[in-house]
Amino acid sequence: MTHTDLDLSTPEKALHVLEDACRNDDRELARRCRNFEDEAELLLHHPRARSNAPMPPAQTPPAEFARALQREWEQTALPDFLGVSTSVAAVEHFGGKFFLVTQNVRNADGRTFAQRLYMSHSEHGWALLRPEPAYEPPVEPKPWWAVWR
């Protein structure tokens, strides 16, 4: 995928562009699928979205926090999406320009799970905010008789 083919018009397309960029080790294209300013705003103003995210010292300007988040991301390895297929199952409005996207993931070994990711939407398209979401293990089916316990 070339940079001119960048299509961030839907959450699913934005996530697939990011996954393809990671598969091709194209950090610049992967960065264009992110929005660190929106991520800083989300983390500073929406405590529910923080989970294990780094928090800046008190009174840190949002722009400085966004640069710190970008530096942190640039120092980590890109995720390995080799053999992984994904689809967006749901998009829920979180507040303002923020959305919570449920993504179904199938690993190369056949395991499946769902994860929830924060994304934002602007005139530039959709952007991923927190690429390291909390893992939601698949629900283990209970035997039919377990409901009576």
Side-chain angles (χ1 to χ4, degrees):
M1 171 175 290
T2 64
H3 295 253
T4 58
D5 295 334
L6 186 65
D7 183 357
L8 306 175
S9 61
T10 68
E12 189 153 26
K13 287 180 181 181
L15 289 168
H16 287 170
V17 169
L18 176 70
E19 292 162 9
D20 287 343
C22 292
R23 283 185 193 101
N24 296 320
D25 199 32
D26 187 342
R27 188 169 287 277
E28 174 58 27
L29 183 57
R31 185 194 59 74
R32 292 180 61 195
C33 297
R34 301 287 313 275
N35 187 321
F36 296 102
E37 293 79 16
D38 284 354
E39 185 172 329
E41 182 181 336
L42 176 73
L43 295 175
L44 289 170
H45 301 295
H46 296 281
R48 272 189 19 214
R50 287 188 191 139
S51 66
N52 62 352
M55 283 310 300
Q59 307 305 321
T60 300
E64 186 177 320
F65 186 38
R67 285 191 296 277
L69 289 169
Q70 183 170 350
R71 280 192 306 274
E72 175 192 48
W73 179 78
E74 289 170 350
Q75 293 172 359
T76 62
L78 291 174
D80 181 9
F81 284 101
L82 190 61
V84 174
S85 62
T86 64
S87 64
V88 170
V91 179
E92 304 167 50
H93 188 246
F94 183 73
K97 60 186 163 189
F98 302 114
F99 295 82
L100 199 52
V101 176
T102 303
Q103 182 183 43
N104 293 326
V105 180
R106 181 178 183 85
N107 285 335
D109 63 4
R111 288 180 300 133
T112 61
F113 64 94
Q115 64 184 7
R116 298 181 78 177
L117 308 163
Y118 286 99
M119 295 185 77
S120 65
H121 184 257
S122 70
E123 65 274 1
H124 302 294
W126 289 86
L128 181 66
L129 304 182
R130 293 302 303 165
E132 299 88 19
Y135 171 71
E136 296 179 16
V139 176
E140 293 288 327
K142 292 183 181 182
W144 65 269
W145 49 265
V147 297
W148 299 106
R149 287 188 181 183

